[in-house]
Amino acid sequence: MAPAAMTFASSLSDAQPVSYWLDDPAKPGALPALTGDERCDLLVVGGGYSGLWTALLAKERDPGRDVVLIEGREVGWAASGRNGGFCAASLTHGFGNGLARWPGELAKLEELGDRNLDAIEAAVARYGIDCDFERTGEIDVATEPYQLEELHQMYEEATGLGFTGLEFLDQDALRAEVNSPTFLGGLWDRRGVAMLHPAKLAWGLKQACMDLGVRVYENTRGLDLTASGAGMSVRTPYGRVFARRVALGTNVFPSLVKRVRPYTVPVYDYALMTEPLSAEQLDAIGWKRRQGLGDSANQFHYFRITADHRILWGGYDAIYPYGGKVSAEMDHRPETYLKLAEHFFRCFPQLEGLRFSHAWGGAIDTCSRFSAFFGTAHGGKVAYAAGFTGLGVGATRFGGDVMLDLLSGERTERTELEMVRSKPLPFPPEPVAWAGIGLTKWALARADANGGRRNLWLRTMDRLGLGFDS
């Protein structure tokens, strides 16, 4: 191993193979599993953000509604406890994706996203959820000249359409915010993203649900879904739940509505967390306003600073397992950790000698349009939301509202959206999915290495509205 690679490897020697967020003494104990039969008005399947927000909103809308939530492991153990803690207002995986797919309703989508993020901030305050919520915004960073041009074009398009809150930063202005020799400029969304502790948000939502009377059962996996009289029945390992209505928030895990499964694939994403930075190290990089950051490559990194002055550094590799199987074996990937460490010190060479305390991965529910889709089954008695594609910390609350609207049969400003009424294209069966995703990843890497120029394959995918992203 070359000396430089040895240095990167040594920075990982003490890293614990567990999500930093979940490795916390504040983690609550697991609740008992469901045994026997339960009956309720609404059953929520899934104890991540999607299910938690749906259960909480259901009780806020109708305090008398009898709500049960079941979770296959423990609340927040999967993507909700492993993500970067970027809580974005965007419902469309960013302004550019929204403009390309729903230009006619983008203004409404942006408005709904802003209101959704405001509502999350209000709920965190109302329920006293201690999750380090900071409305710092996020900076999209250019590390190549073509990326700077693209960010400036996006800024011009957004401001030309009347969107505010964006600030274009040249190289000096950006490095005054966060100092890296790789930064050429950036686009700062000042209010559209909050930073938070993702696991503490999940645990706080769980407690808020319970305080409102939601009955929560952990280690209770939903095994199958069948009609039962005027309602539905979900079988679990030790019992059943009979419910008038069911909301599915299982996301990356196989949907209990089998026809939904081809619309998502699991993509494994990985992250590192540093040890706390000293005062001198913090001064060396600046970052006093604690914004989230993400570079603008196809194979991108996301990074942010925590309440205890650590840096989370994640992204770049997006690994699709053949057959789309979610497996604990994929949660760790040392070769990716080594690659991320190398990229970290390239971005922040002034932090040489800093070590990583945690390294982990997890699966993201990815769909071909990069943003959530919605629907109903069993004559409107079951609703689902899935495909958040790495932007679910905030958008899952909106998804919970959509599911409740659909279950009620109401026509609302949400259910009338083309985004809600339409579906992405499904992924093809294997081995076509494996080959297509592999070819797309290769093409994206080539584009990054060639000034952003997209080859024929990517241009064809763009025309079809297809893509692959984490």
Side-chain angles (χ1 to χ4, degrees), residues 254 256 316:
L256 294 180
Y316 193 79

Side-chain angles (χ1 to χ4, degrees), residues 90-434:
S90 178
L91 305 174
T92 63
H93 210 278
F95 176 85
N97 191 51
L99 183 62
R101 296 182 186 278
W102 303 288
E105 62 184 28
L106 183 59
K108 172 57 70 174
L109 288 166
E110 292 286 308
E111 177 199 341
L112 289 169
D114 290 342
R115 281 161 44 188
N116 184 65
L117 182 55
D118 289 344
I120 291 172
E121 184 171 17
V124 165
R126 182 166 64 253
Y127 294 108
I129 300 175
D130 180 14
C131 63
D132 303 331
F133 189 99
E134 299 179 272
R135 196 83 174 254
T136 59
E138 179 182 3
I139 303 174
D140 291 329
V141 173
T143 57
E144 297 287 344
Y146 78 89
Q147 295 169 12
L148 191 64
E149 294 173 10
E150 290 175 351
L151 289 177
H152 193 267
Q153 181 180 351
M154 186 180 299
Y155 172 73
E156 294 290 339
E157 287 180 342
T159 54
L161 291 171
F163 296 104
T164 59
L166 298 176
E167 181 179 350
F168 186 79
L169 305 175
D170 64 16
Q171 185 176 71
D172 290 341
L174 176 55
R175 292 188 185 180
E177 295 293 333
V178 186
N179 183 21
S180 167
T182 67
F183 292 174
L184 303 180
L187 185 59
W188 185 3
D189 181 352
R190 284 183 166 270
R191 291 282 300 166
V193 184
M195 297 292 107
L196 52 76
H197 187 303
K200 287 184 177 179
L201 175 62
W203 300 334
L205 290 172
K206 170 185 170 180
Q207 187 60 53
C209 285
M210 294 168 62
D211 290 345
L212 293 183
V214 177
R215 301 194 298 288
V216 179
Y217 297 97
E218 295 181 297
N219 293 305
T220 301
R221 184 182 168 204
L223 300 176
D224 59 50
L225 173 72
T226 57
S228 177
M232 302 299 300
S233 171
V234 171
R235 183 171 59 90
T236 71
Y238 308 123
R240 294 171 299 176
V241 184
F242 297 94
R244 292 179 58 249
R245 297 290 184 267
V246 177
L248 300 177
T250 49
N251 295 332
V252 77
F253 298 99
S255 177
L256 294 180
V257 176
K258 292 183 180 179
R259 61 180 164 83
V260 176
R261 295 178 185 179
Y263 289 99
T264 63
V265 294
V267 174
Y268 278 82
D269 179 54
Y270 300 91
L272 306 177
M273 186 71 84
T274 72
E275 62 190 356
L277 274 66
S278 67
E280 293 77 13
Q281 289 168 326
L282 287 168
D283 285 344
I285 60 171
W287 214 344
K288 292 181 174 59
R289 292 199 256 195
R290 306 173 57 79
Q291 308 96 325
L293 288 93
D295 64 49
S296 302
N298 292 305
Q299 292 181 289
F300 62 92
H301 305 89
Y302 55 87
F303 39 118
R304 50 80 54 98
I305 199 160
T306 67
D308 58 349
H309 309 305
R310 301 168 184 264
I311 297 175
L312 178 143
W313 179 267
Y316 193 79
D317 276 345
I319 306 301
Y320 168 69
Y322 184 86
K325 185 179 179 182
V326 178
S327 168
E329 295 173 4
M330 293 290 296
D331 285 349
H332 298 288
R333 199 165 189 266
E335 60 267 43
T336 293
Y337 299 152
L338 189 61
K339 191 182 300 180
L340 286 172
E342 177 185 353
H343 296 171
F344 176 86
F345 288 111
R346 185 185 305 158
C347 181
F348 294 121
Q350 63 269 54
L351 298 181
E352 181 181 358
L354 191 67
R355 300 176 71 84
F356 297 100
S357 62
H358 296 76
W360 71 94
I364 293 169
D365 64 322
T366 296
C367 74
S368 61
R369 73 182 192 188
F370 310 146
S371 52
F373 62 92
F374 314 90
T376 60
H378 293 275
K381 291 180 285 189
V382 176
Y384 56 83
F388 291 93
T389 314
L391 217 69
V393 179
T396 44
R397 184 191 176 279
F398 175 81
D401 262 330
V402 171
M403 285 195 282
L404 293 172
D405 289 350
L406 293 172
L407 289 173
S408 72
E410 296 178 64
R411 292 181 60 178
T412 69
E413 61 182 346
R414 290 177 288 265
T415 62
E416 293 299 293
L417 291 167
E418 181 187 349
M419 176 191 178
V420 171
R421 292 185 287 107
S422 64
K423 295 281 194 301
L425 288 172
F427 290 93
E430 298 293 11
V432 179
W434 170 261

